[in-house]
Amino acid sequence: MYNSADPPLLLLVAGLFIGITSCTAFVVTLKQLLKEWSKNRSTRNLANLRGTQVFFPFSGVALGICIFLASCLQVFAFSGIIAYGFSIPLTVLMAGLVWYQLTRLFNQLEERGLRGIDLDDLSLGKIIPQQNPQDN
């Protein structure tokens, strides 16, 4: 327990650090797996996108966000119980929705390939090289 003169700034910085480093690992892993998939279009690579290689850094991002959010609330004099009682369900809900959307995107890639997805809307056009119809 702390008093209002001593907020959990160390936890705030730690949560931010965990979130940023995990996000970096998540993006690098996702880009690498998507590039491998774009080269050979293997369903095994798509299965890896749903596996622990991607989920582990994604969980780290969620954990970092949860700690950061709860620490921010504690800086504004909310108790730890209230801060974590708010941030844990919110983080689980948001992470679940993002993971669900990613899974749907991977399913669309598997079923319809790149043509079934508008990559410009998702900003994935820079990651996955597009093939022109004239090239085929």
Side-chain angles (χ1 to χ4, degrees):
M1 197 77 181
Y2 76 98
N3 64 27
S4 61
D6 188 24
L9 295 177
L10 182 62
L11 277 178
L12 188 128
V13 172
L16 186 61
F17 178 76
I18 291 168
I20 289 172
T21 55
S22 297
C23 185
T24 303
F26 175 73
V27 169
V28 167
T29 303
L30 193 61
K31 281 183 179 181
Q32 178 186 12
L33 290 172
L34 284 172
K35 283 182 182 179
E36 288 174 12
W37 175 81
S38 71
K39 289 178 184 174
N40 60 13
R41 311 289 176 157
S42 170
T43 56
R44 191 187 92 228
N45 289 338
L46 283 176
N48 287 341
L49 289 170
R50 295 182 193 100
T52 57
Q53 271 185 305
V54 174
F55 188 72
F56 185 69
F58 181 79
S59 300
V61 172
L63 176 68
I65 289 171
C66 183
I67 293 170
F68 179 77
L69 179 60
S71 299
C72 285
L73 290 173
Q74 286 179 320
V75 166
F76 291 107
F78 285 95
S79 71
I81 293 172
I82 292 173
Y84 282 98
F86 176 77
S87 65
I88 290 173
L90 182 65
T91 303
V92 167
L93 176 68
M94 295 305 291
L97 290 173
V98 169
W99 188 255
Y100 171 74
Q101 189 66 22
L102 277 172
T103 304
R104 283 186 54 208
L105 178 65
F106 299 150
N107 289 339
Q108 287 176 0
L109 277 174
E110 191 172 26
E111 291 170 5
R112 293 182 257 163
L114 291 177
R115 298 207 195 293
I117 298 172
D118 187 7
L119 295 176
D120 292 330
D121 284 348
L122 300 170
S123 298
L124 291 175
K126 297 172 189 148
I127 299 171
I128 302 173
Q130 301 246 349
Q131 293 180 349
N132 292 332
Q134 295 86 15
D135 293 345
N136 292 332

